[in-house]
Amino acid sequence: MAKSAKKLSLSKARAKKRPATKAESAKRKAPKRRAASPYDAATLKQLSTDVARWRKTTLAKSLEKMPTRKAAFLNDSGIPLPDVFTAADRRGERLEDLGLPGEFPFTRGPQPTMYRSRLWTMRQFAGFGGPADTNRRFKYLISQGMTGLSTAFDMPALMGYDADHPMSRGEVGKEGVAISTLKDFEILFDGIRLDQVTTSMTINASAIVALCMYIAVAEKQGVPMHLLGGTIQNDMLKEFIAQKEWIVGPRPAVRIVTDMVEFCARHMPKWNPVSISGYHIREAGATAVQELAFTIADGIGYVEEGVKRGMNVDDFAPRLSFFWDVHNDFFEEVAKFRAARRMWAKIMRDRFGAKDPRAMMLRTHAQTAGVSLTAQQPYNNVARVALQAFAAVLGGTQSLHTNSLDETYALPTEEAVTIALRTQQIIAHESGADRVVDPLAGSYYVEHLTDEMERRAFDYLRRIDEMGGIIRAVEEGFPQKEIGESAYRFQREVEQGERLIVGVNAFKSASGASNIELLKIDERVAQEQVDRLQAVKRERDPAAVTACLSKVEAACRDEQQNLMPPVLEAVKAYATLGEISDVFRKVWGQYREGGIF
């Protein structure tokens, strides 16, 4: 070893043995400086300065040559949008508001792995004609890769009337499947093991009857109710707000919903007894912010009723599900899903004292926007549906229905519904959207919209609380008025050309609508349904039916009784949907809505 090297080595050894000076000790204890992060205060201040300079120089020069198309840009909810977003716009962001997937506040998704472990459930709305027609459509869609059943019912069933009622004339099987008795459910699910699929049923005012029929059919298959998985919509508050399909008034209707929630919490642990639905609120003309606010408000209303009943929120809230519309404003729709999860988690923890993370977790079905489909140039609807479906997936839905291109004319044909299903499958297996959890997280724009939609929706909730809650707000017509005004603004924008709809008020074709094949419901359906209903009435035990309906009436009059057991008993005796609904009308009266101006 050279002398110089030896000296250096000895010098190092002596230095190690020598006690450190105060300055050296302080230097060793001081934390290591980290590289400036995008959210570092100094960096953000410099970024704000750079953006201001950019606007005065680079942007200003560009605008002199090429002015923007509009003086101001808004999203579909009327939220003002600046020209560019940067990290400086996120300076107030709290990491706890973003969180991680599968953890409070679930902004990034209810499950840690999301679609990396399991794709969303692909449901295609099916229901037309008689129960045998819909049974065939179910089996076809399952053969084509559909992973969950979704059942649409006709208008008589939705309004609590049998096929032979005068109010049903001309409507039997036209907008969904016709059902009047348990016999129809037996045909509807023939050959489909109900412990091997999950089923969604879109029915509200008469939902208690449909659920009892489903339970009874399963028992005939040897499947006990605790093994049944699925969802029944059963959201009566949104009916009074938007869809307008009811039997009795808001308070008795919510009582029936609460009975079902209580029964399912005790006996059907895999079943979602209510799907709190923003879909119909949005379809009625609400903005995305209004859809978010009024839907969450409905959810609060149901939880409040359950708590008043004496139920533990951690026992029933995990089975509450949601249902969102997915419209054309792509980034707004993604942000809506994320804001909804965060709002619900905060509300359940802070307002209701939920302890179980599952009670704070918003799980949702989504459907592309039927109201956005156009009769003009109907093949454009394929592109609209693909865009909307992709937004739902990037927003983190657990279940999805994609509309068919022909649904502005009629119920979908087999070819059209197959294209709609293939749209989901292409997104699932070819887009790459399933490979990363919450892939748009961190987008300055998406995070800004998420925060802004949450803020505006909470403002609506505050106003509703000041009115005394959502049931009182509905009775006063507050959500209805807000939605009506939004629908009017939207239509005015379309008619004045401020909002362009491709094929409607822009890029119109001289030839008009395309000639496409439509599904037509044979008139035989109504007569076959009436004949089957009358046969059931001849064959059943009239005394048993009368006794069962008397028990239903007694339960209606006694709020301490849960309605599910007597309705289930009546269904098994082949009491009809209309007969059970007539009991509700007898006890509580038939509801008529006053004018909303």
Side-chain angles (χ1 to χ4, degrees):
M1 183 183 289
K3 284 186 177 181
S4 59
K6 285 182 179 179
K7 286 181 180 179
L8 184 62
S9 179
L10 289 170
S11 174
K12 285 183 177 180
R14 291 190 188 106
K16 287 179 180 177
K17 293 176 182 177
R18 174 177 57 81
T21 65
K22 289 183 178 180
E24 288 172 336
S25 297
K27 186 176 180 181
R28 288 174 189 171
K29 291 178 181 178
K32 294 182 180 179
R33 292 186 64 189
R34 296 180 180 177
S37 73
Y39 296 94
D40 175 84
T43 303
L44 292 177
K45 184 177 180 181
Q46 181 60 50
L47 184 55
S48 296
T49 301
D50 291 343
V51 171
R53 174 198 54 76
W54 171 80
R55 288 201 170 102
K56 290 180 180 178
T57 57
T58 306
L59 179 60
K61 290 178 182 178
S62 175
L63 291 174
E64 289 177 2
K65 299 177 182 178
M66 189 169 54
T68 57
R69 293 180 291 109
K70 298 178 182 179
F73 285 81
L74 308 173
N75 78 345
D76 280 358
S77 287
I79 297 174
L81 302 176
D83 42 23
V84 68
F85 288 92
T86 70
D89 298 292
R90 308 301 307 147
R91 69 175 71 237
E93 181 176 51
R94 299 183 303 172
L95 291 178
E96 58 265 32
D97 279 346
L98 188 59
L100 290 170
E103 294 182 356
F104 185 91
F106 305 103
T107 310
R108 302 198 61 189
Q111 303 297 334
T113 56
M114 291 302 287
Y115 309 136
R116 288 167 68 100
S117 293
R118 176 182 173 185
L119 291 172
W120 61 93
T121 302
M122 299 181 193
R123 298 189 192 277
Q124 289 306 126
F125 215 24
F128 66 92
D133 299 316
T134 299
N135 178 267
R136 285 190 290 271
R137 177 64 65 87
F138 279 159
K139 291 174 179 175
Y140 169 76
L141 287 169
I142 291 171
S143 74
Q144 296 300 306
M146 185 175 74
T147 54
L149 302 180
S150 183
T151 316
F153 298 91
D154 70 0
M155 189 57 67
L158 297 177
M159 299 297 290
Y161 295 111
D162 291 330
D164 60 355
H165 193 281
M167 290 289 288
S168 302
R169 193 166 298 146
E171 293 290 341
V172 177
K174 292 294 177 69
E175 295 182 27
V177 61
I179 58 111
S180 299
T181 72
L182 177 58
K183 181 65 176 177
D184 296 320
F185 260 69
E186 293 167 2
I187 298 169
L188 182 61
F189 293 103
D190 180 54
I192 301 173
R193 284 284 302 183
L194 298 185
D195 56 345
Q196 296 175 9
V197 297
T198 60
T199 300
S200 172
M201 293 188 283
T202 303
I203 190 167
N204 297 278
S206 51
I208 189 170
V209 183
L211 179 57
C212 287
M213 288 182 178
Y214 192 79
I215 293 169
V217 167
E219 289 180 355
K220 284 178 174 287
Q221 293 183 357
V223 179
M225 69 177 77
H226 72 268
L227 294 181
L228 295 176
T231 302
I232 192 157
Q233 193 167 99
N234 193 31
D235 179 2
M236 283 309 302
L237 285 173
K238 73 93 175 51
E239 290 296 325
F240 298 105
I241 292 173
Q243 189 161 251
K244 314 299 184 182
E245 294 167 3
W246 51 61
I247 296 173
V248 296
R251 293 185 185 274
V254 171
R255 179 259 168 111
I256 296 172
V257 173
T258 309
D259 280 357
M260 296 172 67
V261 171
E262 182 180 45
F263 182 88
C264 290
R266 292 177 178 175
H267 305 290
M268 302 179 72
K270 297 182 177 182
W271 191 267
N272 302 321
V274 59
S275 177
I276 305 160
S277 176
Y279 186 87
H280 307 87
I281 291 172
R282 189 68 175 280
E283 294 285 292
T287 65
V289 168
Q290 289 171 336
E291 177 193 4
L292 177 60
F294 297 146
T295 307
I296 295 288
D298 288 349
I300 291 171
Y302 293 127
V303 175
E304 287 176 338
E305 292 302 308
V307 171
K308 287 178 188 175
R309 185 73 65 89
M311 299 168 64
N312 186 326
V313 71
D314 287 325
D315 291 338
F316 72 90
R319 298 316 305 180
L320 300 179
S321 66
F322 285 78
F323 175 23
W324 303 107
D325 194 292
V326 199
H327 221 282
N328 287 331
D329 191 332
F330 183 85
F331 294 102
E332 181 177 55
E333 295 304 313
V334 173
K336 180 180 71 183
F337 282 84
R338 303 173 84 250
R341 285 193 292 269
R342 188 158 74 203
M343 289 179 68
W344 189 246
K346 291 177 180 178
I347 289 166
M348 294 306 296
R349 183 192 68 179
D350 301 338
R351 181 167 179 161
F352 293 106
K355 301 291 190 298
D356 188 340
R358 296 175 305 158
M360 310 173 204
M361 186 186 300
L362 186 150
R363 298 164 300 106
T364 192
H365 173 65
Q367 181 175 340
T368 57
V371 75
S372 74
L373 304 180
T374 63
Q376 302 91 330
Q377 302 177 22
Y379 289 105
N380 293 346
N381 295 330
V382 177
R384 291 187 179 99
V385 168
L387 180 74
Q388 295 161 7
F390 198 46
V393 170
L394 293 182
T397 191
Q398 280 65 69
S399 172
L400 179 61
H401 163 86
T402 35
N403 291 327
S404 299
L405 67 93
D406 55 357
E407 288 192 66
T408 51
Y409 295 100
L411 296 172
T413 62
E414 191 171 281
E415 179 182 15
V417 77
T418 302
I419 293 172
L421 177 59
R422 294 289 181 260
T423 300
Q424 292 202 51
Q425 292 165 336
I426 289 169
I427 292 171
H429 302 293
E430 299 184 29
S431 74
D434 63 318
R435 297 170 192 168
V436 175
V437 178
D438 193 21
L440 289 183
S443 160
Y444 306 136
Y445 181 31
V446 169
E447 300 297 358
H448 170 82
L449 279 179
T450 302
D451 291 349
E452 188 65 15
M453 295 182 77
E454 179 183 16
R455 183 186 69 78
R456 292 177 179 230
F458 266 124
D459 184 59
Y460 265 119
L461 293 182
R462 176 188 55 77
R463 294 164 68 185
I464 290 169
D465 283 342
E466 290 172 355
M467 293 178 190
I470 187 61
I471 297 178
R472 184 61 184 158
V474 168
E475 290 173 336
E476 293 182 6
F478 172 67
Q480 298 93 309
K481 291 175 184 176
E482 291 289 305
I483 294 168
E485 289 174 4
S486 294
Y488 171 74
R489 283 194 298 270
F490 180 94
Q491 187 60 32
R492 185 183 61 193
E493 290 170 5
V494 172
E495 292 177 0
Q496 293 179 351
E498 298 172 9
R499 182 185 295 270
L500 300 185
I501 309 295
V502 175
V504 177
N505 65 350
F507 312 108
K508 294 186 283 188
S509 297
S511 58
S514 304
N515 292 322
I516 58 175
E517 181 184 353
L518 299 180
L519 177 67
K520 295 182 179 178
I521 307 301
D522 197 305
E523 292 302 323
R524 66 168 174 77
V525 168
Q527 189 57 53
E528 289 178 356
Q529 187 69 13
V530 170
D531 290 346
R532 183 164 50 251
L533 172 59
Q534 292 175 348
V536 168
K537 287 181 176 179
R538 287 194 301 269
E539 295 167 3
R540 68 187 185 178
D541 182 345
V545 171
T546 300
C548 288
L549 292 175
S550 295
K551 292 180 181 178
V552 173
E553 181 176 345
C556 289
R557 297 185 186 281
D558 181 1
E559 291 194 2
Q560 301 305 310
Q561 286 194 54
N562 190 297
L563 274 165
M564 278 292 292
V567 172
L568 180 57
E569 186 180 350
V571 160
K572 291 179 179 179
Y574 289 88
T576 73
L577 178 145
E579 289 168 338
I580 295 169
S581 300
D582 282 343
V583 173
F584 299 157
R585 282 183 271 259
K586 176 183 177 183
V587 175
W588 291 306
Q590 188 161 337
Y591 182 68
R592 293 283 189 273
E593 183 180 47
I596 302 295
F597 299 101

